[in-house]
């Protein structure tokens, strides 16, 4: 199913078997899309912001447990989604913003490397970022994460259902997923190019050791065991069901076809703009 028995025991406290199975299958399918080499762990959330919040909370607790870091910081490109700032506020994490290259609009990996210190728990790469649609150099950031033994969160909320299909659609990209050993978490919005209803995203982790820090549980409550994998206590099963149904309906070939239409349309539009005197397209696409 892509989620092991420990996780299923946790979510079973709040959802029916069919919905739990649907969530497990959505997580497993997303894990395959992002080339997880083994058994992927994660959950469906209410949107990209919650996926990012959960990942930063998880990296904070994981780093505290594994390294004893009690004054955590994250290294984030200026173009990354503001949800990282929200996570920093919510979870008392110091956020270090890194300026992006004024020509490419991607973050300079060397600047990220210089900002890392003994309290860094995670660096962030956008794939792509919202303001310009530019992908950060995930390969270079992966090397930095591995060398410094810090987490690497790849935020694919915007392009999570485009970039896995681009090579098959005829638009190859540099590596950006779990094939890179330093990638510890990926956020993907199913409610964007996954074409499901709003209020649906997925956060994935490399292993259960990391993911277990997302789960909260209380065993000494008078009402019994209370456990939840994400921010919400009660989660809407309908959103999980519709997400599963959308992915099953489109299928891989459906997403490849949609990706081809989106990317070819965007490039046609860009090339048209370049022919208009007085207009300049400053961003370069992959």
């Amino acid at each position: 199913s892509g989620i092991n028995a420990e996780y299923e025991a946790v979510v079973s406290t709040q959802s029916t078997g069919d919905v739990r199975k649907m969530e497990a299958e959505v997580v497993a399918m997303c894990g395959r899309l992002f080339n997880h080499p083994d058994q992927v762990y994660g959950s469906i959330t209410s949107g990209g912001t919650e996926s990012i919040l959960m990942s930063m909370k998880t990296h904070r607790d994981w780093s505290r447990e594994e390294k004893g870091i009690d004054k955590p910081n994250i290294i984030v490109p200026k173009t990354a989604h503001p949800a990282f700032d929200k996570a920093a506020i919510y979870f008392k994490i110091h956020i270090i913003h890194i300026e992006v290259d004024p020509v490419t609009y991607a973050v300079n990996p060397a600047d990220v490397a210089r900002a890392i210190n003994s309290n860094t728990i995670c660096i962030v790469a956008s794939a792509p970022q919202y303001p310009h649609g530019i992908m950060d150099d995930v390969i270079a950031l992966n090397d930095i994460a591995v060398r410094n033994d810090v987490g690497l969160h790849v935020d694919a909320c915007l392009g999570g259902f485009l970039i896995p299909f681009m090579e098959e659609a005829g638009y190859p990209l540099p590596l950006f997923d779990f094939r890179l050993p330093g990638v510890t978490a990926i956020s993907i919005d199913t409610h964007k190019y996954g074409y499901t209803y709003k209020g649906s995203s997925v956060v994935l982790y490399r292993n259960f050791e990391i993911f277990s820090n997302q789960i909260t549980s209380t065993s000494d409550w008078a009402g019994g065991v209370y456990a939840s994998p994400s921010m919400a206590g009660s989660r809407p099963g309908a959103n999980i069901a519709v997400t599963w149904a959308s992915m099953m309906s489109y299928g891989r070939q459906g997403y490849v076809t949609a990706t081809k239409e989106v990317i070819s349309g965007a490039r046609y539009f860009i090339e048209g703009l370049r022919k208009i005197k007085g207009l300049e397209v400053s961003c370069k696409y992959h």
Side-chain angles (χ1 to χ4, degrees):
S1 68
I3 302 180
N4 75 355
E6 295 167 86
Y7 175 65
E8 296 207 5
V10 170
V11 296
S12 69
T13 62
Q14 57 173 296
S15 59
T16 65
D18 288 344
V19 174
R20 190 166 71 251
K21 186 172 185 289
M22 288 177 181
E23 179 174 25
E25 290 183 358
V26 168
V27 169
M29 286 188 284
C30 288
R32 286 195 294 274
L33 288 181
F34 282 81
N35 292 290
H36 194 283
D38 192 13
Q39 181 162 297
V40 71
Y41 298 86
S43 62
I44 293 178
T45 68
S46 62
T49 292
E50 187 183 4
S51 289
I52 289 169
L53 288 173
M54 288 292 85
S55 177
M56 294 303 100
K57 181 264 182 196
T58 298
H59 280 87
R60 183 199 67 177
D61 294 357
W62 175 51
S63 297
R64 184 173 57 206
E65 180 75 19
E66 294 297 313
K67 302 179 186 176
I69 295 176
D70 57 6
K71 293 180 180 178
N73 69 61
I74 53 176
I75 314 294
V76 179
K78 273 275 184 97
T79 50
H81 195 278
F84 290 101
D85 295 83
K86 180 181 275 191
I89 294 167
Y90 276 19
F91 304 127
K92 298 190 182 335
I93 300 170
H94 178 56
I95 186 167
I96 300 171
H97 292 103
I98 305 296
E99 295 287 348
V100 297
D101 186 283
V103 177
T104 66
Y105 294 96
V107 73
N108 185 335
D111 292 340
V112 173
R114 280 191 291 271
I116 292 174
N117 60 38
S118 60
N119 286 319
T120 301
I121 61 171
C122 187
I123 62 176
V124 171
S126 299
Q129 37 96 322
Y130 282 74
H132 314 102
I134 297 299
M135 290 185 66
D136 289 319
D137 187 345
V138 184
I139 294 175
L141 293 171
N142 165 81
D143 294 343
I144 291 167
V146 171
R147 191 162 60 246
N148 291 274
D149 191 25
V150 298
L152 171 56
H153 178 100
V154 176
D155 178 26
C157 283
L158 177 59
F161 273 79
L162 292 174
I163 56 176
F165 306 106
M166 283 184 65
E167 184 168 358
E168 205 168 332
Y171 304 100
L173 292 173
L175 294 182
F176 53 81
D177 55 23
F178 286 116
R179 286 172 289 184
L180 298 170
V183 174
T184 48
I186 302 177
S187 49
I188 313 147
D189 277 8
T190 35
H191 68 198
K192 289 188 174 70
Y193 292 102
Y195 304 111
T196 189
Y197 289 158
K198 279 290 184 183
S200 173
S201 177
V202 176
V203 58
L204 303 175
Y205 297 95
R206 179 165 291 277
N207 55 47
F208 186 76
E209 179 188 3
I210 302 172
F211 170 66
S212 62
N213 290 276
Q214 181 178 300
I215 301 166
T216 58
S217 62
T218 303
S219 59
D220 58 355
W221 179 43
V225 174
Y226 177 89
S228 56
S230 55
M231 295 284 282
S234 298
R235 296 188 298 156
N239 274 16
I240 294 172
V242 172
T243 299
W244 178 88
S246 296
M247 292 182 68
M248 296 297 287
S249 174
Y250 267 84
R252 186 175 190 89
Q253 193 52 51
Y255 284 121
V256 170
T257 300
T259 297
K260 195 176 297 185
E261 292 173 353
V262 169
I263 302 302
S264 63
R267 295 191 177 185
Y268 177 82
F269 183 68
I270 289 169
E271 293 308 314
L273 288 174
R274 284 183 172 143
K275 295 174 183 176
I276 300 174
K277 188 177 180 179
L279 289 182
E280 180 183 352
V281 179
S282 58
C283 298
K284 291 184 179 180
Y285 50 71
H286 286 282

